[in-house]
Each structure stands twice: as C-alpha cells, then as structure tokens.
C-alpha cells in the first residue's frame, strides 16, 4: 500500500509541484492550505508523513506542529522561508523531524521524505493509525474496532465518528464540528443526526463507553 503524505501549504505553485513529484514516486498525496484543514484531515485519515509550511494563513506551522504532536507521532517535515524561522524549526522545541528551506528542489524534498520514512520504520504507518482508549482499540487501516479484543460491528458513520472523537481526547467537539468531520458538513438531518449516531455508538460500546456529553456544547472522549 502506498504511503500517504499530507501537504499543508498555501502557495499553489509549490504544493502543485510537490504533489506531482511525490505522486510520481508512488506516494498518495492529500493537499490542504490551512492548519485547521490539516487537523481535520488527520482526524479522519491515516497519514504517514506531513509536509508542513510554516507561513500559513490563520494558525501558523509551529502551532499546527504542536497540535499534531499532542495527538500523534506522525513524522513532520517543515518548510521554512525565512531566516528567523530556521533557528526555531531546527531546534527540538518545534517537534518537527526535519526541515527544508525555501526555495528547495522538489527532488531534494522527496529524498528527505523517503529518508524520514525509512528512519521512522515504514512498518506501521503514522502514529494515528491505531487509536486506543481503555478497552477500545480502533484501527483506521483495517477499519475495525474491538472492545476487550472482541470486534464491534459499526457502520461507516459510526466508525468515523468514533475515530474523530478518539483522535481528539479531552477535546469537546461540537455537533457542527462532528458533522463537518464525519459527514463533510452537510446532512439533511442536521446536528440531530450526530446525536442519533452517538446514541448508537454508546449502545454498541456498552455501559463503560468513554463518550461524554458536554451539555450545550457537544461531545468528548475523556481520557
Ligand atoms: Ca506559505
């Protein structure tokens, strides 16, 4: 199975070029232009490596890196354009695995990507592939969920909903946010749909399920 790379870059020309080079080398590439979108993608996709630009509209690359690190150990290769960013990104504080200074050659970047993937093992992909909580284990690649080692039959929506919640431990996700993450934002039943699916999930996961209602706000998984 090909490795999936998430590119977070707001400059079309750079992203387009990188995407073409990575795809030519057999990688599957997802491209988003903001940190917020990157975090959403990570919540629903298993990603093997992130190419992360620092200068992004909204949340900058450092902040994205910090938030990604709070959840997963997926390798991060940062793109930096400015001298004053280099010290920060080169320092361990950033949490990045490597960095490349713009302008760079796409060939060099692809070589760095491969080197990082080799270092990180290449076996089990990205840190977020398996999500665990208590007796629950969710494997994104196999799309299965077990409870105390016994498989739980979930629909696709229930699976995606549980994955979104488990990927954000202790974070309250509003109904709108869950609708966006799991249903792509639009659904005839609206946010009521989320409640219905949460109820089904809870029933299937039993009395000890970790899904908490935060009244007036949404849902979270408490760790
Ligand atoms: Ca940029």
């Amino acid at each position: 199975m090909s490795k999936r790379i998430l590119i977070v870059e707001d400059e079309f020309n750079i992203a387009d070029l990188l995407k073409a080079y990575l795809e030519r080398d057999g990688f599957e590439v997802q491209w988003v232009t903001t940190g917020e979108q990157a975090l959403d993608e990570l919540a629903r996709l298993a990603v093997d490596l992130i190419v992360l630009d620092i200068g992004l509209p909204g949340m900058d690359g450092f902040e994205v890196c910090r938030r990604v690190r709070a959840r997963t150990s997926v390798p991060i290769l940062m793109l930096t354009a400015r001298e004053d960013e280099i010290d920060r990104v080169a320092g361990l504080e950033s949490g990045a695995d490597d960095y490349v200074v713009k302008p760079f050659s796409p060939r060099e970047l692809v070589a760095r990507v491969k080197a990082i993937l080799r270092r990180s093992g290449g076996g089990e992909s990205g840190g977020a592939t398996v999500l665990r909580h208590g007796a629950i284990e969710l494997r994104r690649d196999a799309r299965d969920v077990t409870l105390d080692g016994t498989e739980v039959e979930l629909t696709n929506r229930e699976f995606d909903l549980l994955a979104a919640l488990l990927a954000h431990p202790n974070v309250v996700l509003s109904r709108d946010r869950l609708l966006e993450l799991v249903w792509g934002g639009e659904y005839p039943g609206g946010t009521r749909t989320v409640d219905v699916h949460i109820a089904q999930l809870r029933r299937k996961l039993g009395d000890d399920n970790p899904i908490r209602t935060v009244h007036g706000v949404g849902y979270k998984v408490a760790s």
Side-chain angles (χ1 to χ4, degrees):
M1 220 175 81
S2 58
K3 299 273 181 190
R4 186 182 285 132
I5 313 286
L6 176 64
I7 298 176
V8 192
E9 168 63 84
D10 58 314
E11 283 162 77
F12 177 85
N13 292 339
I14 294 176
D16 205 41
L17 190 66
L18 268 184
K19 191 168 185 293
Y21 269 80
L22 286 165
E23 282 175 348
R24 209 182 57 186
D25 262 72
F27 291 102
E28 193 181 314
V29 180
Q30 293 286 127
W31 167 33
V32 296
T33 55
T34 68
E36 287 80 357
Q37 289 168 352
L39 295 172
D40 286 353
E41 286 299 304
L42 282 176
R44 61 172 161 193
L45 279 179
V47 168
D48 296 289
L49 184 143
I50 304 173
V51 176
L52 176 60
D53 185 33
I54 292 174
L56 294 168
M59 198 190 298
D60 75 10
F62 289 114
E63 178 63 15
V64 178
C65 189
R66 201 180 57 75
R67 295 196 188 198
V68 170
R69 275 288 162 271
R71 294 178 199 174
T72 137
S73 57
V74 62
I76 299 174
L77 172 63
M78 292 190 109
L79 305 180
T80 172
R82 303 203 321 253
E83 285 290 325
D84 60 325
E85 291 170 347
I86 296 173
D87 285 345
R88 276 182 77 195
V89 75
L92 289 172
E93 61 168 286
S94 74
D97 294 81
D98 200 356
Y99 69 96
V100 170
V101 180
K102 291 179 180 177
F104 54 83
S105 88
R107 270 178 227 284
E108 182 200 346
L109 187 127
V110 172
R112 296 281 191 101
V113 164
K114 288 180 175 172
I116 296 171
L117 287 172
R118 268 197 305 275
R119 281 209 302 272
S120 72
E124 186 180 302
S125 55
T129 305
V130 180
L131 298 168
R132 291 188 184 84
H133 190 287
I136 301 170
E137 186 172 304
L138 177 147
R139 295 196 306 142
R140 290 187 205 264
D141 48 358
R143 284 193 78 82
D144 68 18
V145 173
T146 55
L147 181 65
D148 273 328
T150 306
E151 192 165 340
V152 183
E153 295 275 341
L154 298 182
T155 64
N156 277 335
R157 296 294 196 202
E158 289 162 5
F159 180 92
D160 292 340
L161 188 56
L162 182 62
L165 287 164
L166 291 179
H168 300 83
N170 291 318
V171 175
V172 182
L173 297 174
S174 69
R175 290 172 176 82
D176 282 324
R177 182 97 173 103
L178 287 167
L179 208 56
E180 205 180 289
L181 287 172
V182 177
W183 282 265
E186 282 176 52
Y187 196 76
T191 53
R192 173 79 190 124
T193 305
V194 177
D195 298 333
V196 171
H197 282 77
I198 289 278
Q200 285 163 356
L201 252 185
R202 281 175 164 155
R203 189 174 51 73
K204 291 182 178 180
L205 294 174
D207 295 337
D208 295 333
N209 79 79
I211 304 169
R212 302 283 168 265
T213 303
V214 182
H215 288 287
V217 190
Y219 297 99
K220 75 168 178 179
V221 157
S223 63

